[in-house]
Amino acid sequence: MPGPARTAVLRDAIGLGVAVGLYGVAFGAAADAAGLDPWQALAMSLLMFTGASQFALVGVLGAGGGAAAAVGSALLLGTRNTVYGVRLAPLLAPRGLLRRLGLAHWVIDETTALAVAAPDRGLARLGFLAGGATIYAVWNATTLVGALGAGALGETAQAALDAVVPAAFLALLWPRLRAGADEPAVARRVALGGAVVALALTPFVPPGVQVVAAVVAVVLAGRPREAA
């Protein structure tokens, strides 16, 4: 396993892990605003560990949506991790039920991106584990900080957190998105379509429904098409 490549994978994994993990502060604050106590927020981060679903759930609850819409949004967003797991299983090749369960808990957008972007299987496993461990530790610690100190988190800090995470994730994925293959262009168009669906429905539907509709639209757009 080449030294420079290993160093680069660890740098990306830990750097992205810290950036994403820090956003747990915002989730803790959002959970507090939605009426959850700090230990409920921490339990969600420990047991769910999928930020989009967590934000969807507390966002719908905080906006006055019902439990069914909140849970439905969270579950539907979380189903993408199953697709990631199918992609990662042959790459990580975990042995034994306990190892499979442990690795499955860390299957999220960022760890999948780290593993898939690695140049070989050994480095893919390293990136997945280093990124997963870093995100899990920092995310849970900052969730508690955010829930306990929600009132002290000002708008400037919120805006900074909102900018850091997508910037770090885009920095990791941008080289792959700019590749000349057809798939990145299709993925960009599908993602833009999902965003348009969500924004268009926001003024007209209960909180959380636009997220579900956007995910369904993306899934339908991404279906393989039969040859004519």
Side-chain angles (χ1 to χ4, degrees):
M1 187 178 295
R6 179 184 176 88
T7 300
V9 168
L10 284 173
R11 182 191 63 235
D12 287 344
I14 295 173
L16 182 65
V18 171
V20 173
L22 287 174
Y23 203 52
V25 174
F27 170 72
D32 176 80
L36 278 66
D37 65 41
W39 308 114
Q40 289 173 321
L42 180 59
M44 285 184 62
S45 286
L46 286 168
L47 300 176
M48 289 181 64
F49 188 55
T50 173
S53 294
Q54 292 177 228
F55 273 107
L57 193 150
V58 300
V60 173
L61 292 177
V71 173
S73 297
L75 286 175
L76 189 53
L77 284 171
T79 57
R80 75 194 189 286
N81 294 338
T82 303
V83 179
Y84 296 160
V86 172
R87 172 66 179 88
L88 291 177
L91 191 62
L92 302 178
R95 296 182 179 179
L97 179 61
L98 291 180
R99 287 186 180 181
R100 283 179 174 271
L101 291 175
L103 291 180
H105 195 51
W106 285 359
V107 173
I108 55 176
D109 301 324
E110 294 80 9
T111 55
T112 301
L114 288 164
V116 172
D120 60 49
R121 180 174 291 183
L123 292 174
R125 184 176 178 83
L126 176 65
F128 179 91
L129 292 175
T134 304
I135 297 171
Y136 191 73
V138 179
W139 177 268
N140 283 286
T142 55
T143 291
L144 189 58
V145 171
L148 291 172
L153 189 64
E155 292 182 2
T156 302
Q158 286 275 14
L161 286 169
D162 287 344
V164 164
V165 176
F169 200 37
L170 182 59
L172 177 69
L173 295 181
W174 184 247
R176 297 179 67 85
L177 292 175
R178 345 183 14 246
D182 294 335
E183 288 81 357
V186 173
R188 288 195 293 269
R189 289 196 294 269
V190 171
L192 179 60
V196 169
V197 169
L199 289 172
L201 290 178
T202 295
F204 308 108
V205 299
V209 174
Q210 70 272 47
V211 176
V212 176
V215 172
V216 171
V218 167
V219 170
L220 292 176
R223 287 184 307 171
R225 288 169 172 75
E226 297 180 359

